[in-house]
Amino acid sequence: MAVTTQLPAAFPLGSRLDERGVLELGGCDALELAREHGTPAFVVSEDDLRARARELVAAYRARTPHAEVVFAAKAFPCTAVLRVFAEEGLGCDVASGGELALALAAGMEPGRIHLHGNAKSEAELRAAVDAGIGHVVVDNVADVDKLERILGAGRTQRVQLRVTPDVWGETHAAVSTGQADSKFGVALDQAPALIARLRASDSLELVGLHFHVGSQLLDVTPYLRAVEATAALGDFPVVNVGGGLGVTYTDERPPTVEEYVAAKVDAVERFHGPGRTIVDEPGRALVANSTVTLYTVESVKRNVSTWVAVDGGMSDNLRPMLYGARYEVHVVDRFGPGDTVCHVAGKHCESGDVLARDVVLADPRPGDVLVTPATGAYGHSMASNYNGVPRPPVVFVKDGSSRVVVRRETYEDLLARDV
Ligand code: LLP
């Protein structure tokens, strides 16, 4: 059989097919990884994480001395991943008390943490203030009431104000956030009143504006429109332009990091003025392509279609079901060109549990190890125990060795909260 030697762009940097045509990740044989760690498993290339963080930081450094790259922890809320980014000098944004706890446990410097949320509890805000986090991103009036209560007289907190720029980014409706009718942020016409209140506050120091247009954006135009739309709100030292850079899952062509950074920096300089600190909040772009999921085929069935059923599914990757997201699938030791058009289904008890439709595999059979690339963003983070399935481990690979950074869940874990 002809063996493809070129790996698709969705795979982690440094992946390759070895002389036998077997996938190698971070110098580790994918079949051996599956044997050693079991499947399903998230396999993360540590070098890929670092390379993408460095590329983004370098692109900002090349254009402005005033930029902060803050990883959106929701994309891969795992202490080992957060620790890598802390080591690379990044900050992080957290969207809950739980993500804050993970960031602190990872050794993220509190001053580099930003807290988000459209429904922050008083306990979450108190934990953030007590930890000394850099910025709270105020989303609504209730945030201000709660923060002033928590801070009382004598304590202060730096805040950004999240505004809704009334910009629609071309992406799935579930991950578009900049439109006027959004649950996030303060409407442009209501922002001036809240800005005035924050400027008059003794305990809150308003340092900047925040907006986030949406996620998996494949075009830079929405950023420009959002930056422009917010410029009239006043003069702020910090302009937080959110995240959103799209990635390649199959055949998408996202902007390059340079194009993305240039668009954001140029727009801020043009509309908000020079010398601003630009905060970028990438999630997906830093982690999606660092990771693959390994599965084992449990059964192959032929009826109207060919159904290849694996040992995971919607409990480790909800994205195809929630957003119609498309993924590549390959047999790790028989990369294409395949001959069997099939649907790769999960093991869960519903028909919607299909990871990839109409993929072409090379004669898939029970026992084969399959790989789906680009599962680092929002895979581990949205995993569940549906059908009592233990969540997969997270395994780092680098220079030919692997280490488990999050172990596989056990049946004991499933019982651990029973009282
Ligand atoms: N900043 C804010 C305020 C956000 O809400 C988000 C993502 C980000 C930054 C990071 O966006 P990114 O660079 O990753 O596009 N579960 C969905 C994605 C939800 C995104 C939520 N907010 C998915 O799997 O596609």
Side-chain angles (χ1 to χ4, degrees):
M1 187 202 315
V3 172
T4 307
T5 48
Q6 196 66 22
L7 277 181
F11 278 85
L13 303 173
S15 309
R16 64 175 202 117
L17 295 178
D18 71 11
E19 312 63 49
R20 300 161 304 151
V22 180
L23 176 65
E24 199 179 277
L25 301 155
C28 299
D29 180 300
L31 281 175
E32 276 168 29
L33 287 170
R35 257 194 297 272
E36 182 177 349
H37 302 289
T39 57
F42 293 113
V43 178
V44 184
S45 159
E46 186 177 336
D47 286 344
D48 183 287
L49 290 178
R50 290 188 192 275
R52 288 183 207 271
R54 285 175 197 176
E55 184 186 15
L56 193 56
V57 169
Y60 269 108
R61 285 233 180 91
R63 292 196 166 255
T64 167
H66 317 283
E68 276 179 44
V69 177
V70 167
F71 170 57
K74 71 200 80 180
F76 204 154
C78 163
T79 49
V81 171
L82 287 160
R83 197 170 295 122
V84 164
F85 290 142
E87 286 168 6
E88 294 297 329
L90 273 58
C92 75
D93 87 47
V94 297
S96 70
E99 287 182 1
L100 173 62
L102 292 175
L104 294 171
M108 190 60 79
E109 208 181 292
R112 289 177 178 266
I113 299 177
H114 300 213
L115 175 68
H116 273 287
N118 65 317
K120 304 177 192 77
S121 71
E122 195 146 332
E124 288 173 320
L125 285 164
R126 191 178 298 280
V129 168
D130 289 348
I133 72 156
H135 296 202
V136 172
V137 182
V138 166
D139 174 273
N140 51 61
V141 175
D143 274 352
V144 181
D145 296 339
K146 290 175 199 170
L147 277 172
E148 288 188 327
R149 213 160 38 232
I150 290 164
L151 292 161
R155 289 210 290 174
T156 59
Q157 174 65 54
R158 267 173 297 156
V159 301
Q160 300 165 23
L161 177 63
R162 179 162 185 172
V163 296
T164 320
D166 193 6
V167 167
W168 177 260
E170 276 303 314
T171 187
H172 192 280
V175 297
S176 174
T177 46
Q179 67 278 13
D181 194 14
S182 164
K183 69 171 186 164
F184 298 107
V186 178
L188 287 177
D189 60 341
Q190 292 166 17
L194 200 49
I195 290 170
R197 177 172 168 194
L198 287 167
R199 291 216 198 273
S201 172
D202 290 330
S203 52
L204 299 176
E205 184 195 349
L206 177 61
V207 296
L209 293 180
H210 173 284
F211 39 86
H212 171 72
V213 187
S215 206
Q216 182 60 5
L217 299 179
L218 298 173
D219 170 24
V220 296
T221 321
Y223 306 126
L224 311 185
R225 292 211 302 271
V227 171
E228 182 176 9
T230 55
L233 292 175
D235 216 3
F236 297 92
V238 174
V239 181
N240 186 328
V241 290
L245 177 58
V247 303
T248 301
Y249 288 98
T250 57
D251 53 5
E252 301 85 347
R253 300 284 300 273
T256 64
V257 167
E258 282 69 29
E259 288 163 351
Y260 169 80
V261 168
K264 284 188 163 181
V265 172
D266 291 351
V268 171
E269 285 180 352
R270 178 161 157 222
F271 295 111
H272 286 257
R276 314 291 143 172
T277 294
I278 301 176
V279 181
D280 196 336
E281 293 179 334
R284 189 187 316 268
L286 291 184
V287 294
N289 296 106
S290 70
T291 300
V292 306
T293 308
L294 299 179
Y295 298 103
T296 300
V297 175
E298 298 290 7
S299 65
V300 177
K301 182 179 295 177
R302 289 185 176 81
N303 46 32
V304 178
S305 307
T306 298
W307 295 92
V308 177
V310 298
D311 52 358
M314 64 194 297
S315 55
D316 58 75
N317 189 357
L318 205 46
R319 301 196 67 261
M321 302 82 201
L322 280 183
Y323 320 115
R326 290 181 309 127
Y327 287 84
E328 291 189 19
V329 186
H330 302 271
V331 185
V332 299
D333 53 349
R334 292 195 308 282
F335 266 65
D339 46 14
T340 312
V341 179
C342 49
H343 303 324
V344 176
K347 69 183 274 110
H348 296 280
C349 299
E350 57 185 80
S351 295
D353 177 33
V354 178
L355 289 165
R357 286 183 190 276
D358 298 319
V359 292
V360 186
L361 296 180
D363 185 23
R365 4 186 222 263
D368 277 345
V369 176
L370 302 190
V371 60
T372 52
T375 53
Y378 307 103
H380 169 77
S381 68
M382 298 198 296
S384 78
N385 290 129
Y386 187 29
N387 292 132
V389 172
R391 284 173 290 185
V394 179
V395 179
F396 271 27
V397 290
K398 181 180 165 55
D399 298 336
S401 35
S402 64
R403 67 188 167 104
V404 178
V405 298
V406 178
R407 65 162 172 79
R408 185 182 304 284
E409 261 181 334
T410 62
Y411 295 152
E412 290 72 42
D413 291 328
L414 299 183
L415 297 165
R417 293 187 303 148
D418 286 359
V419 178

